[in-house]
């Protein structure tokens, strides 16, 4: 009686467990998704949260290749996750997350990122300098 059922579901995805905060697109040629998580930023880290949120907003316009953009987005989300968790941010984890974000932006800042949009190099340099001053 407890055997999993393997019936085909052509109408859409089937989730057999908890799915919280997930986003997915089904049977689309192109899709843009946004998600907003209203969480409280740890006191004193508001400028960092604003900067990283703005970087995430501007990142699609930087003209990066998908893997480079995805790396930068992932690193930015790690920073935000660390400063919005219920416990105070752990300094080491936050430093590593910010270092990861700076590292993801470095190829753009140095001009090594293929396909970067005009002005992206200066944008990335300014972002790295700002990140350095906040952590």
């Amino acid at each position: 009686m407890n055997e999993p059922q393997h019936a085909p579901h052509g109408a859409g995805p089937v989730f057999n467990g908890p799915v919280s905060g997930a986003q997915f697109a089904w049977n689309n040629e192109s899709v843009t998704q946004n998600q907003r998580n209203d969480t409280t930023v740890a006191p004193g880290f508001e400028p960092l949260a604003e900067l990283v949120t703005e970087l995430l907003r501007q990142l699609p316009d930087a003209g990066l290749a998908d893997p480079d953009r995805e790396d930068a987005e992932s690193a930015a989300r790690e920073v935000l996750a660390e400063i919005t968790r219920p416990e105070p941010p752990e300094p080491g984890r936050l430093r590593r997350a910010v270092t990861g974000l700076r590292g993801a932006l470095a190829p753009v800042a140095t001009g090594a990122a293929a396909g970067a949009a005009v002005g992206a190099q200066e944008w990335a340099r300014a972002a790295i300098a700002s990140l350095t001053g906040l952590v």
Side-chain angles (χ1 to χ4, degrees), residues 1-68:
M1 284 291 179
N2 290 334
E3 293 180 23
Q5 296 183 9
H6 297 285
H9 295 282
V14 175
F15 299 97
N16 293 314
V19 180
S20 176
Q23 290 182 303
F24 66 94
W26 183 261
N27 203 19
N28 290 305
E29 291 181 24
S30 65
V31 64
T32 300
Q33 294 181 324
N34 296 300
Q35 186 175 43
R36 183 179 170 145
N37 295 319
D38 291 329
T39 54
T40 303
V41 176
F45 292 94
E46 295 86 354
L48 179 59
E50 290 174 17
L51 174 64
V52 173
T53 300
E54 185 61 20
L55 287 175
L56 277 170
R57 190 186 67 73
Q58 294 175 355
L59 206 51
D61 297 329
L64 297 175
D66 286 344
D68 295 330

Side-chain angles (χ1 to χ4, degrees), residues 94-127:
L94 182 57
R95 254 191 331 276
R96 286 188 295 277
V98 170
T99 298
L101 180 53
R102 287 194 313 245
L105 294 174
V108 181
T110 61
V118 174
Q121 191 171 3
E122 186 54 39
W123 168 79
R125 283 185 191 147

